[in-house]
Amino acid sequence: MCGIVAYIGSKPAQPLLLEGLKRLEYRGYDSAGLAVLNGSLNVARAVGRVVNLETKLKGLPGFDGTLGLAHTRWATHGGVTELNAHPHQDDKSGIALVHNGIIENYVSLKALLSERGHTFKTDTDTEVLAMLIGELYEGDLEAAVQAALREVTGAYAIAVICAQEPDVLVCARKGSPLMVGVGAGECIVASDPSAIVAHTSQAFALDDYNVARITREGFRTSTIDNKPVTPKMMQLELDLEQAELGTYEHYMLKEIFEQPASLRTTMRGRVDLKEGKIVLGGLMDCAKELVKSRRYILIAQGTALHAAMIGEYLLEDLAKVPAECEYASEFRYRNPIIEDGTVVVAVSQSGETIDTLAALHEAKDRGALTLGAINVVGSTLSRDTDAGVYLRVGPEIGVASTKAFTGQVAVLTLISLFLARRRFMSDEQARTLLDELTKIPDAIERVLESNDTIRRVTEKYVERDNWLFLGRGYNYPTALEGALKLKEISYIHAEGMPAAEMKHGPIALIDEGMPVVFIANKGPQYDKVINNIEEVRTRGGHIIAVATEGDERIKTVAQDVLYVPDVPDCLSPMVTVVPLQLLAYHAAVLRGHDVDKPRNLAKSVTVE
């Protein structure tokens, strides 16, 4: 983990590889490296940002070949050192390898290879894989990779080159994403389409246990058992301009401000106000089965989990169908009960989160109908689900998710209304909610106008190291998301919980001046939230309230108020989360942190 780029063609590989690594920087990493074949195998690595590697390469001879591979590493095995950075090499055949994932049986393989005379220089599991391929190499790199992968347990996306085969690039995948872009006399391999689209729009994604042997003349794909497979070509649609920073200081801020436009795109063509209908083409083939289903389980991790929790509320409230939300990482290990009529909905921005994928496969094996709410077209999750709905919010570069969260909530709202109208909801109710849903982007624009106010409020509390985020009903998950955002990028300790839970223990944490953020918009539990605010206020906590425009009462109990427009309670999380996103953003900036690349985090978590 975390980013792979490889190239074979007629162009100099080094600048293309460095450009690709820069496009993958948003995924999070701690070191970078590059290998180029140019008569001999040349490798360079550096700790820190890609620019450090770029600086190191200046003036170094031997890096002007047309075949190479590169990597950004997010440490799993072994510390953050130049020695542990990728690419890794074997010790006899001139093999270099980059790898995302974890080789779970690397300890036993390392012991075996050591007995056979191999000497290891690093603490990584990846070096073991490079040595294993070298041990099995007999003049055919593809065959050696296939043989090695038959011996390993774990997850991998790899690209491999060998000095003895200067016109061959081999890549393979199991559990970690890898895509091959195909151009005229060249191919570029990457773990993300953003590193490919500048060079070609034609690509295919490798499936699990698949290997690709690539030359300048073409490619062949097979399984690790050398059975031929035919990949499905796709057209990449990523707009590179969407992935550029533009006039914004950080990608996170850009993506927060993109939310009105991204939500309009999410809803475009899917909401028919004239007919009062939801049009979800991705669900039509299984619409009858969905309507008859008796239970929905939503699985996700991180920010997507908070969106899925809101989806649970929406499905039960609007569609009147039993629903529950699960951590994907726990779901697969607790022998879940999947009865007839169960639908499992996987929620993910990347569509590559390994815990969510594993939980999805567990659900499918047990007979569930599976849906996806996914942003990245062509991702593994989109291919492995039975049906689904894309978010269509555009590329999200900031590690801390913002517009993907509101996109996920919008899609889950659409799915819930799609089912509700076919089950119990009246035409009038549906039309009213659809009309309100289309106004959410306008409501968010009004919240964004308060950016300066939110910054000034943040300044008052930014030195405090412990915060609470509290909400009820639909906005309990929003409170969790607000706390997560603050933790992710400002490194401030924050906890989110239901407002009523606070007095069952956590109230002991409240001391004089502690910032406590309440989501106190007008809704069915407004009076209860006011009571909870009073409980915190009498113990010295400082209240930051997210409240409905026009609410004067809230000013009598809160030190600071961040107003949001009045929207229906079931749609409110898409609006109330925005001031929390901005609060976290400004806290991180004021504390001097790298907002888009927070420490220890990766955009797409592809290892367990």
Side-chain angles (χ1 to χ4, degrees):
M1 200 171 161
C2 196
I4 288 173
V5 187
Y7 175 77
I8 182 169
S10 58
K11 300 170 186 173
Q14 184 195 139
L16 192 148
L17 295 172
L18 289 171
E19 174 207 326
L21 290 185
K22 289 175 182 178
R23 293 202 178 277
L24 298 179
E25 283 190 289
Y26 77 93
R27 296 167 66 92
Y29 66 102
D30 46 54
S31 56
L34 179 150
V36 173
L37 269 175
N38 186 28
S40 60
L41 181 64
N42 301 284
V43 177
R45 297 176 290 192
V47 171
R49 297 301 178 204
V50 172
V51 67
N52 297 347
L53 175 64
E54 189 173 26
T55 300
K56 187 172 184 177
L57 284 165
K58 288 179 180 176
L60 284 181
F63 285 89
D64 51 354
T66 58
L67 169 60
L69 43 78
H71 189 266
T72 51
R73 178 181 188 241
W74 188 81
T76 55
H77 293 73
V80 181
T81 66
E82 185 175 309
L83 194 62
N84 286 334
H86 298 215
H88 287 289
Q89 298 170 255
D90 80 322
D91 55 359
K92 70 170 188 176
S93 302
I95 287 169
L97 175 148
V98 292
H99 166 226
N100 286 347
I102 291 177
I103 305 302
E104 295 174 1
N105 61 336
Y106 83 100
V107 173
S108 58
L109 289 172
K110 189 172 186 177
L112 174 65
L113 291 166
S114 295
E115 289 176 2
R116 296 187 178 182
H118 295 276
T119 303
F120 291 86
K121 300 178 180 178
T122 80
D123 303 316
T124 69
D125 56 331
T126 301
E127 186 187 20
V128 175
L129 182 55
M131 292 285 192
L132 180 60
I133 294 170
E135 171 69 19
L136 298 171
Y137 183 71
E138 296 178 349
D140 186 335
L141 183 60
E142 178 189 29
V145 169
Q146 291 170 329
L149 295 181
R150 291 195 293 268
E151 302 300 323
V152 304
T153 302
Y156 54 79
I158 61 172
V160 192
I161 56 177
C162 177
Q164 297 183 48
E165 295 184 54
D167 300 308
V168 175
L169 168 65
V170 176
C171 56
R173 171 260 168 94
K174 182 211 164 190
S176 196
L178 203 61
M179 182 171 285
V180 180
V182 181
E186 63 180 4
C187 285
I188 182 165
V189 176
S191 46
D192 191 304
S194 62
I196 295 175
V197 291
H199 307 280
T200 180
S201 61
Q202 296 295 312
F204 65 89
L206 282 176
D207 289 328
D208 279 353
Y209 300 105
N210 280 7
V211 178
R213 180 185 187 274
I214 306 168
T215 68
R216 294 172 182 84
E217 288 71 44
F219 63 87
R220 69 167 231 129
T221 52
S222 62
T223 68
I224 61 173
D225 295 317
N226 202 32
K227 295 179 181 178
V229 294
T230 303
K232 183 178 179 180
M233 298 297 294
M234 69 179 76
Q235 180 81 17
L236 298 180
E237 298 177 352
L238 179 65
D239 183 351
L240 281 177
E241 288 187 9
Q242 290 183 299
E244 300 296 338
L245 192 56
T247 59
Y248 290 91
E249 187 177 354
H250 298 99
Y251 280 107
M252 182 180 179
L253 185 63
K254 175 177 181 278
E255 287 155 9
I256 292 172
F257 272 81
E258 284 178 341
Q259 287 175 114
S262 66
L263 284 181
R264 290 187 183 106
T265 302
T266 297
M267 290 185 275
R268 187 172 297 126
R270 292 169 167 171
V271 178
D272 185 341
L273 288 177
K274 185 177 180 181
E275 297 292 330
K277 292 181 178 180
I278 299 290
V279 181
L280 297 176
L283 302 186
M284 293 312 297
D285 288 346
C286 58
K288 289 184 179 180
E289 193 173 354
L290 292 173
V291 172
K292 293 178 181 178
S293 296
R294 294 180 290 181
R295 178 180 175 225
Y296 280 72
I297 302 173
L298 298 100
I299 53 173
Q301 294 289 142
T303 286
L305 180 76
H306 302 151
M309 292 174 69
I310 296 168
E312 174 190 349
Y313 286 36
L314 288 162
L315 285 164
E316 293 198 339
D317 186 15
L318 304 181
K320 310 301 182 189
V321 60
E324 58 196 272
C325 182
E326 300 258 8
Y327 283 97
S329 57
E330 293 296 317
F331 179 83
R332 67 179 293 212
Y333 289 114
R334 61 171 196 80
N335 195 20
I337 298 171
I338 303 293
E339 302 167 308
D340 288 344
T342 299
V343 177
V344 172
V345 184
V347 185
S348 173
Q349 189 285 132
S350 67
E352 301 292 354
T353 305
I354 194 166
D355 290 316
T356 306
L357 284 167
L360 173 80
H361 296 150
E362 180 71 18
K364 289 191 73 170
D365 288 346
R366 291 171 181 252
L369 176 67
T370 57
L371 303 183
I374 313 152
N375 194 38
V376 179
V377 176
S379 59
T380 304
L381 202 57
S382 70
R383 301 196 307 274
D384 289 357
T385 46
D386 296 310
V389 182
Y390 283 117
L391 309 184
R392 302 196 312 206
V393 300
E396 188 177 66
I397 307 302
V399 168
S401 181
T402 52
K403 66 177 181 177
F405 173 79
T406 51
Q408 287 160 349
V409 175
V411 161
L412 292 170
T413 304
L414 291 172
I415 292 173
S416 299
L417 287 169
F418 178 86
L419 295 172
R421 186 67 187 94
R422 287 160 173 79
R423 289 168 64 87
F424 305 109
M425 184 175 283
S426 70
D427 178 68
E428 182 181 355
Q429 284 179 297
R431 287 176 183 272
T432 299
L433 271 176
L434 286 176
D435 182 59
E436 293 288 349
L437 180 60
T438 60
K439 295 175 182 176
I440 292 297
D442 296 335
I444 293 176
E445 285 177 343
R446 282 161 59 187
V447 177
L448 293 172
E449 292 172 0
S450 303
N451 183 38
D452 290 341
T453 299
I454 295 168
R455 187 183 193 281
R456 288 193 294 271
V457 171
T458 308
E459 286 175 340
K460 295 170 61 175
Y461 304 102
V462 72
E463 298 304 322
R464 300 295 301 224
D465 290 327
N466 293 285
W467 294 50
L468 283 179
F469 287 74
L470 304 172
R472 282 178 176 259
Y474 279 104
N475 282 299
Y476 155 49
T478 314
L480 293 176
E481 176 61 12
L484 177 61
K485 283 290 146 298
L486 193 66
K487 285 185 278 195
E488 283 181 315
I489 60 171
S490 73
Y491 317 144
I492 293 171
H493 175 256
E495 294 297 331
M497 63 188 70
E501 178 65 18
M502 177 263 308
K503 59 181 174 289
H504 294 279
I507 198 169
L509 297 171
I510 295 170
D511 58 9
E512 187 66 36
M514 181 182 188
V516 182
V517 180
F518 275 91
I519 304 171
N521 58 308
K522 285 292 181 69
Q525 299 191 63
Y526 174 77
D527 289 335
K528 299 292 186 183
V529 173
I530 293 295
N531 292 339
N532 298 140
I533 290 175
E534 292 281 13
E535 292 163 353
V536 171
R537 188 165 170 259
T538 58
R539 289 161 177 81
H542 280 215
I543 310 301
I544 305 168
V546 177
T548 304
E549 288 175 346
D551 183 358
E552 294 298 319
R553 180 184 176 188
I554 198 71
K555 292 180 180 178
T556 66
V557 293
Q559 279 83 2
D560 296 281
V561 181
L562 307 176
Y563 282 113
V564 299
D566 189 10
V567 301
D569 192 46
C570 64
L571 305 180
S572 64
M574 288 180 280
V575 178
T576 56
V577 75
V578 177
L580 307 186
Q581 294 170 344
L582 288 169
L583 188 153
Y585 170 79
H586 290 303
V589 171
L590 290 166
R591 284 191 164 215
H593 300 314
D594 189 338
V595 175
D596 291 329
K597 303 181 186 72
R599 69 188 182 198
N600 302 332
L601 297 184
K603 184 65 176 173
S604 179
V605 181
T606 57
V607 296
E608 285 196 81

